DNA sequence: TATGGTACTAACAAATTTGTAAGTTATGGG
DNA sequence: CCCATAACTTACAAATTTGTTAGTACCATA
C-alpha cells in the first residue's frame, strides 16, 4: 500500500513467516480490508472500475485503486485498459484466482456456522 | 489488540463488511500476524505457553499473549490454567477450530501452487 | 471555449497493529 | 529471607494500513 520500510522487524518477521508457511502466504494474499469483497464481485465476470466502486459500499476510489493494484501484482486479477476517452478499464479474475472459489465456499460455510455458534454462547 | 476507537470510519467499515460477508468474517478471524502459526502448532495437541513461544521463531511474549487472547475470544483455542507454582497454562484447539484443518490443507496447497507459478513469471 | 465523464494520483491525517523493554505475581526450595 | 520460574502486564515507540480531500489527463460534445 504505502511502501514498507526495509529493515524493520515487522517486515522481517512477515517475510520469515510467509516464506515458510504456504497457508500464511495464501491468507496474506487476500488480507487487505477490501480484497475479498472485490474478488467476490468479480466472480461472475469482468467489471470496470466504476462498477466495482458502485457495488462496494463504503470504499473510496483510493482504496479501490490500492487494493486492485495489489491484487494485480499478486496475479489474482487481470487489468485491461481500453484506449478510449473517457478511459475505460476493466478487471477480471485470473485462472489461478478462480481456483480459490471452491475453497472460499467452504470457508464461508464455516464462517456462517461459527457465527451462529458464537451467537448461542451469549 | 489494543482497544479500537469507537466511531472511526475504519471500525465502521470493518463491521459493515464482516457483518455481511461470511468469508471475510472467517478470514478476519485468523488475520493476525501470528495466529495461523499458533493454530498450526496446536494441530497435534495441547501445548503450554512456553512451548508455543519456543516453537515460534521470532514471536515475543507480548505478541503471543495478545494473539492467544484473541483466539480464545473467538472460540478457536481453549485455555486451561493449572493451579500450580510456577504457573502452568496450556492451549488447545476447540472443536470448531479443528473443522478448519481440511480447508487449511487446501488453501495451503493453493498457496504452494501459486508461489511456484509466480516464480516462473520472473 | 467550457463542460463532463472515467479512472485514477498526491499529500496528508488518523487509526490500528506490531515491536521493545522492563516490570509483576506467587511460592517452593535453598 | 532470597531467588528462580512461568506466564503474563504495562508503558511506550515504531511501522503499517486505512481514510480524507483535492486534484490530474484526456478529448468528444454542447
Amino acid at each position: 500500500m504505502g511502501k514498507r520500510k526495509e529493515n524493520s522487524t515487522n517486515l522481517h518477521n512477515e517475510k520469515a513467516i510467509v516464506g515458510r508457511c504456504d497457508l500464511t502466504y495464501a491468507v496474506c494474499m487476500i488480507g487487505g480490508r477490501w480484497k475479498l469483497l472485490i474478488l467476490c464481485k468479480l466472480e461472475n465476470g469482468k467489471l470496470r472500475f466504476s462498477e466495482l466502486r458502485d457495488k462496494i459500499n463504503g470504499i473510496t476510489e483510493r482504496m479501490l485503486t490500492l487494493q486492485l493494484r495489489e491484487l494485480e501484482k499478486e496475479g489474482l486479477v487481470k487489468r485491461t485498459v481500453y484506449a478510449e476517452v473517457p478511459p475505460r478499464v476493466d478487471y477480471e479474475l485470473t485462472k489461478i484466482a478462480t481456483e480459490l472459489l471452491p475453497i472460499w465456499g467452504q470457508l464461508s460455510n464455516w464462517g456462517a456456522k461459527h457465527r451462529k455458534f458464537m451467537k448461542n454462547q451469549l
Side-chain angles (χ1 to χ4, degrees), chain A residues 94-111:
Chain A
T94 59
K95 177 164 170 297
I96 201 164
T98 62
E99 292 174 24
L100 280 170
L101 299 180
I103 303 180
W104 288 347
Q106 296 170 60
L107 249 186
S108 189
N109 289 340
W110 180 89

Side-chain angles (χ1 to χ4, degrees), chain A residues 1-113:
Chain A
M1 327 236 104
K3 331 235 146 139
R4 301 182 66 175
K5 184 163 187 191
E6 299 277 339
N7 302 353
S8 69
T9 305
N10 189 314
L11 182 56
H12 181 265
N13 280 339
E14 183 175 310
K15 278 186 184 169
I17 296 172
V18 166
R20 284 203 192 76
C21 174
D22 289 328
L23 178 54
T24 304
Y25 171 86
V27 169
C28 273
M29 185 143 291
I30 51 177
R33 162 76 41 93
W34 306 92
K35 279 189 191 166
L36 280 171
L37 232 43
I38 295 171
L39 293 168
C40 288
K41 298 297 178 193
L42 295 174
E43 271 189 47
N44 304 114
K46 298 182 180 188
L47 287 177
R48 34 196 308 195
F49 185 85
S50 53
E51 291 174 313
L52 281 169
R53 183 195 56 204
D54 297 344
K55 277 171 188 283
I56 299 177
N57 207 297
I59 199 169
T60 61
E61 298 196 330
R62 169 178 156 72
M63 275 300 130
L64 183 53
T65 303
L66 281 176
Q67 310 255 51
L68 282 169
R69 288 285 178 282
E70 285 211 343
L71 288 168
E72 203 192 345
K73 261 191 205 163
E74 295 164 353
L76 297 183
V77 307
K78 187 181 160 212
R79 178 169 179 263
T80 310
V81 184
Y82 301 88
E84 300 176 3
V85 168
R88 183 156 70 93
V89 178
D90 61 28
Y91 296 90
E92 63 191 308
L93 297 185
T94 59
K95 177 164 170 297
I96 201 164
T98 62
E99 292 174 24
L100 280 170
L101 299 180
I103 303 180
W104 288 347
Q106 296 170 60
L107 249 186
S108 189
N109 289 340
W110 180 89
K113 181 174 176 181

